[in-house]
Amino acid sequence: MLSVKDLHVSYGGIKALKGVSMEVNEGEIVTIIGANGAGKSTLLNTITGFLKPASGEVVFKGHPVGRNPAKIVKMGICHVPEGRLVFANLTVQDNLQLGAYLRNDRKQIAVDLERVYMLFPRLRERMKQIAGTLSGGEQQMLAMGRALMTNGELVLMDEPSLGLAPLLVKTVFEIIKEIKGLGKTILLVEQNAHKALAVADRAYVLEQGHIVKTGPAHEIAQDPAVRAAYLGTRSVVAG
Ligand code: ATP
């Protein structure tokens, strides 16, 4: 479904991605694990057109995605950004409706809104509440719901568990599985390698702008170097 080919991305003199290639097949949850600053957000922001690569290509369902974020959303890729980035002054319902901004299939939008409220009953309870007054966990659910309202087939998620209490982290990962159950394909970027590898089908390990390992998630979770670096056996600096 998604193919990233030899992507190089820099911020001025800082090379954040140094030849990253990876793939996501339809129906999979693929996770990218890596330390702070490894380049995970840079990869997602390049896929969705917010950053321009120096070289390389992103292909979605056989078509190069180009560099226009709105067009990329229309193609079927949606993004749950790091830090949620909900519209703080708007209501929950307005945030969700904005997820459908590029759509004009009114009936299906109503069906999808109902589906989001089924998935996140808390959002239904708070549909009239101003988003900025929600808890961090609720804002994460809203950011996920807003992405689902685009009706994209591929959902990119950037650190959905960041800053959440352990119970909410568990809920977020359960919801990720439910989103897969809705027929979505998921590319999940996480520092919480333990949880990400438990939910994913396949994994890539990103270190300092390079993919250093890939394989089925359960195999990556057993890899001694990965266990040492990311699964808490001992603390190791990436690279
Ligand atoms: P985190 O989990 O901390 O978000 P990450 O794996 O998502 O980490 P990126 O945010 O993609 O990493 O950052 C990759 C590299 O690019 C880092 O060295 C970072 O300092 C640098 N970087 C990211 N954003 C910018 C920016 N706007 N300007 C300059 N350098 C940046």
Side-chain angles (χ1 to χ4, degrees), residues 11 14 16 35-42 82 159 191:
Y11 300 93
I14 300 168
N36 244 333
K40 304 180 299 297
S41 298
T42 302
E82 184 174 358
E159 305 269 7
Q191 278 188 42

Side-chain angles (χ1 to χ4, degrees), residues 144-167:
M144 287 175 158
R146 181 183 55 187
L148 292 177
M149 288 302 295
T150 69
N151 200 23
E153 295 160 76
L154 174 64
V155 186
L156 310 186
M157 295 190 191
D158 197 343
E159 305 269 7
S161 75
L162 195 68
L164 300 183
L167 197 62

Side-chain angles (χ1 to χ4, degrees), residues 86-101:
V86 298
F87 298 102
N89 297 326
L90 300 181
T91 65
V92 166
Q93 177 117 325
D94 286 343
N95 268 272
L96 293 175
Q97 296 280 12
L98 275 171
Y101 183 72

Side-chain angles (χ1 to χ4, degrees), residues 3-222:
S3 183
V4 170
K5 297 175 185 171
D6 199 21
L7 216 53
H8 290 256
V9 182
S10 298
Y11 300 93
I14 300 168
K15 290 187 177 164
L17 298 183
K18 305 165 190 164
V20 167
S21 298
M22 50 99 44
E23 300 207 332
V24 181
N25 302 310
E26 189 168 351
E28 284 187 311
I29 299 181
V30 172
T31 188
I32 298 177
I33 59 171
N36 244 333
K40 304 180 299 297
S41 298
T42 302
L43 175 60
L44 295 196
N45 288 333
T46 308
I47 293 170
T48 42
F50 292 107
L51 292 172
K52 185 177 166 195
S55 62
E57 195 179 28
V58 179
V59 176
F60 179 63
K61 295 170 87 179
H63 302 284
V65 298
R67 309 264 158 79
N68 179 327
K71 279 194 184 148
I72 292 169
V73 172
K74 276 200 157 176
M75 288 174 86
I77 303 180
C78 57
H79 194 163
V80 184
E82 184 174 358
R84 350 288 190 212
L85 304 184
V86 298
F87 298 102
N89 297 326
L90 300 181
T91 65
V92 166
Q93 177 117 325
D94 286 343
N95 268 272
L96 293 175
Q97 296 280 12
L98 275 171
Y101 183 72
L102 293 172
R103 300 172 59 186
N104 46 26
D105 50 341
R106 281 172 157 262
K107 279 197 184 142
Q108 191 57 40
I109 290 172
V111 171
D112 289 347
L113 185 61
E114 180 55 29
R115 193 173 62 171
V116 167
Y117 282 141
M118 296 276 283
L119 193 58
F120 305 104
R122 185 63 73 91
L123 295 184
R124 191 197 297 278
E125 284 166 26
R126 296 175 190 267
M127 63 165 83
K128 300 236 167 68
Q129 193 168 323
I130 297 296
T133 65
L134 297 175
S135 70
E138 289 163 349
Q139 290 193 19
Q140 184 60 52
M141 290 172 197
L142 182 55
M144 287 175 158
R146 181 183 55 187
L148 292 177
M149 288 302 295
T150 69
N151 200 23
E153 295 160 76
L154 174 64
V155 186
L156 310 186
M157 295 190 191
D158 197 343
E159 305 269 7
S161 75
L162 195 68
L164 300 183
L167 197 62
L168 275 167
V169 171
K170 192 166 172 270
T171 307
V172 161
F173 280 94
E174 279 164 6
I175 288 167
I176 290 171
K177 275 193 264 179
E178 287 184 44
I179 292 174
K180 180 184 180 183
L182 295 174
K184 305 288 182 188
T185 302
I186 297 168
L187 177 55
L188 169 68
V189 152
E190 262 296 339
Q191 278 188 42
N192 189 336
H194 190 76
K195 289 259 189 276
L197 291 171
V199 83
D201 299 296
R202 287 193 305 114
Y204 291 86
V205 181
L206 187 62
E207 285 185 1
Q208 297 182 357
H210 296 279
I211 299 284
V212 296
K213 254 183 217 330
T214 181
H218 64 273
E219 284 180 17
I220 295 286
Q222 296 306 321

